[in-house]
Amino acid sequence: MSGLKNIRSALISVYNKENLDNILSLLDEFDVRIISTGGTKSYIEEHGYKVESVENLTSYPSILGGRVKTLHPLIFGGILSRREISSDSQELDKFGIPYIDLVIVDLYPFEETLASGVDDQSVIEKIDIGGISLIRAAAKNYNDVLIVSDRKQYSVLISLLEEKQGESSLEDRKQFATRAFNISSHYDTAIFNYFNSDETITSFKVSENEGKILRYGENPHQRGLFFGDFDAIFDKLHGKEISYNNLLDIDAAVNLIMEFTETTFAVLKHNNACGLASRPKLLDAWNEALAGDPVSAFGGILITNSEVDAETADKINKLFFEAIVAPGYDMAALEILKQKKNRIILILKEKKLPEKLYRTALNGILVQDKDIKTDSIDDMKSVTEKIPTSDEFSDLEFANKIVKHTKSNAIVLAKNKQLIASGVGQTSRVDALIQAINKAQKFKLELNGAVMASDAFFPFADSVEIAGKAGIHSVIQPGGSVRDQESIDYCNKHGIAMIFTGTRHFKH
């Protein structure tokens, strides 16, 4: 093993001291000199180990309420000294600076403090200065120094010390240094984004420490990774490894189901709803959702906002699907759903999702606010002589929630809070409408008295004409076309109610 170096001295200064005693025991066994300060020094002494204070070494006290403790040449000289350069060694001897071979340090919990909602000054006080400086110094000099920058690395350090009897290789030190720079860059990103919350500086900085290599990307020949804490949002109860495409569909499903408060079941395929219904009883919601497109439901993603019972699970189990997401399952339902070993079963926790969306474009990144606008009945402006009935208003609101989460150009047809059919991802709005009508007719779903939702305005009156002839009684759209009046006139002439929301919901 190349570059083996013996650990003779260690600087330890940590905010979180959990499991530190196991490391101290090993360092004591290998007769490592320990230097520390403040609460960490007290912790080491309480556990019966010898420790030298930073203050005694530097002959300088901790000042400014602990803001300045380790920022001293006698500390940083011992970390940054290049052992193979004789002039560095001569300077250390001249100024009485001890070599430091191991640095164990963590950072003040800035992100946790920020998330707790405390005042700005309390957040500022959790911006680490000494710790981040020690991490960068030790990582920079990984040729000679081992840096442990997070307590999650303690177990790796313990295994290393035990296996190599108090020594480390160059490969070991470089790996720990890489982890250290990951910690420091993530920390600085969080601080920058806090200061730049008003986005006055147009700089893109996002950092995720949690990551997972997926089996592949969208296709088997593409590499895929997921960055984020999946377990913060879901409990995975059963099933195969979740794929790249599964994650995209699950993301679309979660964002869609969050629009609904009454008991709702949805089936998604390729990020779009192919079935959705709201009913007082979950089994009825499932049956009506499946009826919307029983063909596309095969191999889809299922999601509901209610606990799944055995009766519903028994019906669901007859269908092949990739994954199911729900806030809970009763025990009998789980037993049924687990009959297929690869079937992914997830519990959705209450977790706020990000309000920014990112995607690559050309040689850069596009960033936008998430479309969190949900048009309610209060947002709806009647623009025709005929006013929708109360049931139609309810269906218009229902359909508009679905079309918001459907790939543009999009048309949604709904009736009695059931998705009858949708036209998805078409290059013209008329094509999307014709696709939806054809699908409804294919599955013999009644269009007479149904409503239509469009994600954007109608540039011509042809869409409302086609819809009216198919039996559509009410239409909801953003409005805003220079030819709006043509659509309004057609609706007035043929007894169709039309609503404008003033909000477009493109989804590309």
Side-chain angles (χ1 to χ4, degrees), residues 50-228:
K50 293 180 182 178
V51 58
E52 182 178 348
S53 73
V54 167
E55 291 82 359
N56 285 344
L57 177 64
T58 63
S59 299
Y60 212 92
S62 171
I63 63 172
L64 305 180
R67 279 190 164 197
V68 181
K69 292 181 286 190
T70 55
L71 296 169
H72 196 283
L74 287 175
I75 299 297
F76 281 84
I79 295 171
L80 288 165
S81 169
R82 296 156 293 186
R83 277 48 164 183
E84 75 280 7
I85 297 179
S86 59
S87 59
D88 280 12
S89 299
Q90 290 168 8
E91 284 192 78
L92 261 63
D93 290 340
K94 178 180 178 180
F95 296 108
I97 300 174
Y99 290 102
I100 296 175
D101 307 307
L102 169 65
V103 175
I104 303 175
V105 63
D106 61 9
L107 301 172
Y108 291 160
F110 176 81
E111 288 180 282
E112 293 86 343
T113 303
L114 179 60
S116 70
V118 298
D119 61 89
D120 283 349
Q121 188 55 45
S122 298
V123 174
I124 295 297
E125 287 304 318
K126 286 297 183 286
I127 297 177
D128 207 306
I129 302 301
I132 202 79
S133 302
L134 291 168
I135 286 173
R136 291 180 63 83
K140 177 179 179 176
N141 199 28
Y142 72 88
N143 192 63
D144 298 302
V145 180
L146 181 64
I147 171 63
V148 178
S149 53
D150 191 295
R151 65 186 177 90
K152 293 178 182 177
Q153 301 166 18
Y154 285 3
S155 60
V156 182
L157 175 64
I158 289 169
S159 297
L160 172 66
L161 292 173
E162 291 176 339
E163 178 186 344
K164 295 179 179 172
Q165 293 296 294
E167 293 185 326
S168 67
S169 69
L170 180 63
E171 292 85 353
D172 295 327
R173 295 190 296 276
K174 187 172 184 180
Q175 185 59 42
F176 273 92
T178 303
R179 292 171 178 165
F181 283 122
N182 180 43
I183 292 288
S184 66
S185 64
H186 178 84
Y187 197 76
D188 284 340
T189 295
I191 294 170
F192 169 76
N193 287 332
Y194 165 71
F195 277 93
N196 195 44
S197 60
D198 58 359
E199 299 179 338
T200 52
I201 299 175
T202 53
S203 177
F204 179 75
K205 288 183 172 61
V206 174
S207 177
E208 281 288 351
N209 274 335
E210 301 285 340
K212 181 180 181 181
I213 298 174
L214 304 174
R215 284 178 291 163
Y216 50 80
E218 203 162 4
N219 299 292
H221 63 277
Q222 294 171 267
R223 187 166 183 256
L225 300 96
F226 173 72
F227 293 100

Side-chain angles (χ1 to χ4, degrees), residues 10-14 20 23-24 27 34-37 40-41 44 102-105:
L11 173 67
I12 306 176
S13 180
V14 292
L20 182 61
I23 294 173
L24 294 172
L27 294 180
I34 299 176
I35 304 166
S36 188
T37 186
T40 307
K41 175 178 174 292
I44 295 170
L102 169 65
V103 175
I104 303 175
V105 63

Side-chain angles (χ1 to χ4, degrees), residues 403 409-413 421-424 429 432-433 436 452-455 458:
V403 83
N409 286 313
I411 292 289
V412 163
L413 306 179
S422 58
V424 177
R429 203 153 299 281
L433 174 56
M452 174 174 70
S454 175
D455 62 335
F458 298 118

Side-chain angles (χ1 to χ4, degrees), residues 150-397:
D150 191 295
R151 65 186 177 90
K152 293 178 182 177
Q153 301 166 18
Y154 285 3
S155 60
V156 182
L157 175 64
I158 289 169
S159 297
L160 172 66
L161 292 173
E162 291 176 339
E163 178 186 344
K164 295 179 179 172
Q165 293 296 294
E167 293 185 326
S168 67
S169 69
L170 180 63
E171 292 85 353
D172 295 327
R173 295 190 296 276
K174 187 172 184 180
Q175 185 59 42
F176 273 92
T178 303
R179 292 171 178 165
F181 283 122
N182 180 43
I183 292 288
S184 66
S185 64
H186 178 84
Y187 197 76
D188 284 340
T189 295
I191 294 170
F192 169 76
N193 287 332
Y194 165 71
F195 277 93
N196 195 44
S197 60
D198 58 359
E199 299 179 338
T200 52
I201 299 175
T202 53
S203 177
F204 179 75
K205 288 183 172 61
V206 174
S207 177
E208 281 288 351
N209 274 335
E210 301 285 340
K212 181 180 181 181
I213 298 174
L214 304 174
R215 284 178 291 163
Y216 50 80
E218 203 162 4
N219 299 292
H221 63 277
Q222 294 171 267
R223 187 166 183 256
L225 300 96
F226 173 72
F227 293 100
D229 188 359
F230 186 83
D231 294 336
I233 300 178
F234 299 102
D235 286 328
K236 184 183 178 189
L237 306 182
H238 185 74
K240 65 181 180 180
E241 183 181 346
I242 297 173
S243 71
Y244 183 99
N245 290 333
N246 290 154
L247 288 167
L248 289 176
D249 283 331
I250 291 167
D251 174 70
V254 170
N255 281 285
L256 174 61
I257 204 69
M258 289 173 66
E259 298 281 356
F260 299 90
T261 55
E262 54 191 314
T263 300
T264 301
F265 223 120
V267 185
L268 284 89
K269 198 74 170 285
H270 296 294
N271 309 160
N272 296 293
C274 56
L276 192 149
S278 297
R279 294 289 184 272
K281 187 178 179 181
L282 184 63
L283 178 59
D284 294 335
W286 162 250
N287 287 333
E288 295 300 305
L290 181 62
D293 188 346
V295 174
S296 295
F298 183 87
I301 301 291
L302 313 185
I303 191 165
T304 180
N305 55 7
S306 298
E307 181 175 301
V308 178
D309 54 61
E311 183 183 26
T312 306
D314 189 55
K315 288 287 187 180
I316 293 170
N317 198 44
K318 293 177 171 59
L319 175 75
F320 168 74
F321 58 90
E322 287 279 313
I324 182 169
V325 183
Y329 309 83
D330 68 31
M331 293 305 296
L334 270 180
E335 289 300 315
I336 295 168
L337 294 173
K338 285 182 176 180
Q339 290 174 8
K340 301 290 191 295
K341 68 175 183 178
N342 287 331
R343 180 180 287 159
I344 299 165
I345 304 175
L346 301 173
I347 289 181
L348 176 61
K349 304 176 186 178
E350 289 190 13
K351 176 74 174 179
K352 186 177 181 182
L353 297 177
E355 294 183 357
K356 293 284 186 183
L357 300 178
Y358 316 116
R359 65 190 299 177
T360 58
L362 302 174
N363 63 341
I365 296 166
L366 287 171
V367 181
Q368 69 169 343
D369 297 332
K370 187 176 181 179
D371 184 0
I372 59 174
K373 170 68 174 173
T374 299
D375 303 305
S376 67
I377 292 176
D378 291 339
D379 298 311
M380 299 179 188
K381 176 186 176 184
S382 182
V383 295
T384 52
E385 295 167 0
K386 183 181 177 184
I387 306 298
T389 65
S390 60
D391 286 343
E392 287 172 339
F393 263 119
S394 183
D395 276 346
L396 290 167
E397 184 178 28

